[in-house]
Amino acid sequence: MASKTGRLLSLDVMRGITIVGMIVVNNAGGPLSYDSLRHSAWNGLTPCDLVFPFFLFIMGVTTYLSLSKNDFKASWPVIRKILWRAAMIILIGWALHWIVLACKGAPWDFGRLRLTGVLPRIGLCFGAVSLMSLCMSRKAMAWTAVALLAVYTVLVCTCNGYAADETNFNAIADRFLLGEAHLYHKSPIDPEGLAGTISAVAHTIIGFCCGALIKSRKPLAERTVGLFAVGFMLMACGFLLMEWLPLNKRIWSPTFVLATTGLAALLLATLIYVIDMRGKRSWSVFFESFGVNPLFLYVLSELMAIIMSRFGNKKAVYEGILSVFPDPCLASAVYALAFMLIVGAIGYPLYRRRIYIKL
């Protein structure tokens, strides 16, 4: 059953699942981790690779539900709110990168400040899709997603887009647009670069269109079946085409978009059926507590991780866990889970008191 306000609790639960996953994946204790808790080195797909695309998908869904309250009317207050939120998310991402520089003793070296990242991509996708929705029909937005993926496919296929080196189209475009010093430095391809944001925007639009399906006036059971069908078709297209266009998170390949949005839609449909239709929600409270304050808890986790690394606490805690669990992969996973639970211990009281911190 849905809540008394008609809100689907499954939306918060899925958002919470993605935030829990993001925190666990980003906070391995040591240098070794289980393969399922590591991103694919290049082509391929691991459970870890699903976390961020699932978040963009659910952000697209909730963006539709939020803006539909005003019937997508393009008033200045609405536009200002969209621009303000997008800018704040991007600026908070930059602030976290600045704190990393400050911890390295170079607080004023803005020439090396990373301008890309998870939060900047979230801000750009949210802003772009929200503004599109105020001036385009839902059908036009769906075709825009198709066009963006088609253009990106041509660029990837004709401009060395699958090369894992500096000749890659994404690497060249990002260096030209932002400068090498402002990019991710642990690989030649920035996994959240501007070029890859083309398909990430299409990814968010697909979530937005699924939000329209969920919001339709049909009975919830029909909407859920429709979401299952859409999810299966997207997933099938992604996996069928990966022979020619491999799944690749680092360049956010078109097949990666199709496969992960399909899987996300299937997960959301399953959650709607279990939680909102069958009323089985007692198990989901833990994830719901993360889902009502998703970006706040994510930012908090990133800030905590920076501080722990700066003062050596991470190493000390990990070595303590390693003394109990000699397997370095297990110790790393235990550290990540413990770190996530600490963040959850901060988020749960906020959830109980219905304190929602919006970014």
Side-chain angles (χ1 to χ4, degrees):
M1 71 187 88
S3 66
K4 293 180 180 179
T5 62
R7 179 182 178 84
L8 296 176
L9 298 176
S10 51
L11 298 174
D12 287 332
V13 173
M14 182 166 173
R15 202 159 41 191
I17 290 171
T18 63
I19 293 300
V20 167
M22 289 170 79
I23 294 173
V24 170
V25 165
N26 290 347
N27 292 282
L32 298 178
S33 296
Y34 293 117
D35 289 342
S36 60
L37 294 178
R38 298 173 65 92
H39 290 296
S40 300
W42 190 238
N43 293 334
L45 189 70
T46 70
C48 176
D49 293 329
L50 298 176
V51 177
F52 189 21
F54 276 25
F55 185 86
L56 285 186
F57 174 86
I58 197 66
M59 183 179 73
V61 172
T62 54
T63 297
Y64 180 92
L65 299 180
S66 176
L67 292 175
S68 66
K69 295 175 183 177
N70 294 320
D71 200 26
F72 302 99
K73 293 180 180 178
S75 63
W76 170 239
V78 172
I79 294 173
R80 181 176 58 192
K81 185 177 180 180
I82 290 170
L83 294 175
W84 172 258
R85 186 163 190 255
M88 284 300 298
I89 294 171
I90 294 170
L91 289 172
I92 291 171
W94 290 350
L96 289 173
H97 295 325
W98 177 83
I99 292 172
V100 172
L101 280 179
C103 288
K104 293 179 180 179
W108 309 118
D109 190 5
F110 294 107
R112 292 194 297 126
L113 178 68
R114 187 185 175 196
L115 298 179
T116 58
V118 170
L119 288 173
R121 174 164 285 184
I122 290 173
L124 289 173
C125 289
F126 166 77
V129 174
S130 297
L131 292 175
M132 281 185 208
S133 72
L134 300 181
C135 59
M136 299 172 67
S137 68
R138 308 295 81 79
K139 182 180 291 187
M141 289 191 68
W143 281 111
T144 298
V146 172
L148 288 173
L149 289 177
V151 169
Y152 191 63
T153 299
V154 172
L155 291 172
V156 165
C157 292
T158 60
C159 302
N160 220 22
Y162 277 102
D165 55 42
E166 294 182 352
T167 66
N168 185 291
F169 158 73
N170 294 63
I172 294 172
D174 289 338
R175 288 199 305 270
F176 175 76
L177 293 170
L178 297 176
E180 187 171 358
H182 294 297
L183 300 174
Y184 185 74
H185 292 145
K186 294 182 181 180
S187 73
I189 314 298
D190 191 316
E192 288 90 33
L194 285 181
T197 302
I198 296 172
S199 59
V201 169
H203 188 119
T204 310
I205 293 174
I206 293 173
F208 183 91
C209 293
C210 287
L213 172 60
I214 293 169
K215 184 68 172 178
S216 69
R217 296 181 180 180
K218 296 178 181 179
L220 183 57
E222 289 187 29
R223 286 178 272 162
T224 305
V225 170
L227 190 59
F228 266 117
V230 169
F232 179 79
M233 287 188 290
L234 288 169
M235 178 192 68
C237 288
F239 285 125
L240 287 173
L241 293 173
M242 71 178 187
E243 184 69 25
W244 300 275
L245 291 169
L247 302 174
N248 190 304
K249 177 186 180 294
R250 294 183 183 274
I251 65 170
W252 218 270
S253 68
T255 47
F256 180 79
V257 171
L258 295 173
T260 56
T261 54
L263 290 169
L266 290 173
L267 174 60
L268 180 56
T270 301
L271 292 173
I272 292 173
Y273 174 74
V274 172
I275 297 171
D276 299 300
M277 294 178 63
R278 298 290 303 277
K280 299 181 182 298
R281 63 179 298 263
S282 57
W283 65 273
S284 64
V285 172
F286 174 77
F287 296 109
E288 190 180 341
S289 67
F290 279 87
V292 295
N293 283 306
L295 288 179
F296 169 73
L297 293 179
Y298 173 76
V299 171
L300 177 64
S301 72
E302 291 291 286
L303 186 59
M304 288 172 55
I306 293 169
I307 293 172
M308 290 186 69
S309 296
R310 170 66 179 83
F311 293 101
N313 297 342
K314 176 179 179 178
K315 183 178 179 181
V317 173
Y318 172 69
E319 289 179 349
I321 295 173
L322 192 60
S323 67
V324 178
F325 302 99
D327 182 345
C329 290
L330 178 59
S332 185
V334 169
Y335 176 94
L337 289 172
F339 186 94
M340 178 270 296
L341 290 174
I342 291 172
V343 176
I346 297 171
Y348 186 71
L350 298 177
Y351 163 73
R352 291 284 294 179
R353 292 173 173 80
R354 297 184 180 181
I355 299 173
Y356 308 133
I357 301 174
K358 303 294 184 180
L359 296 181

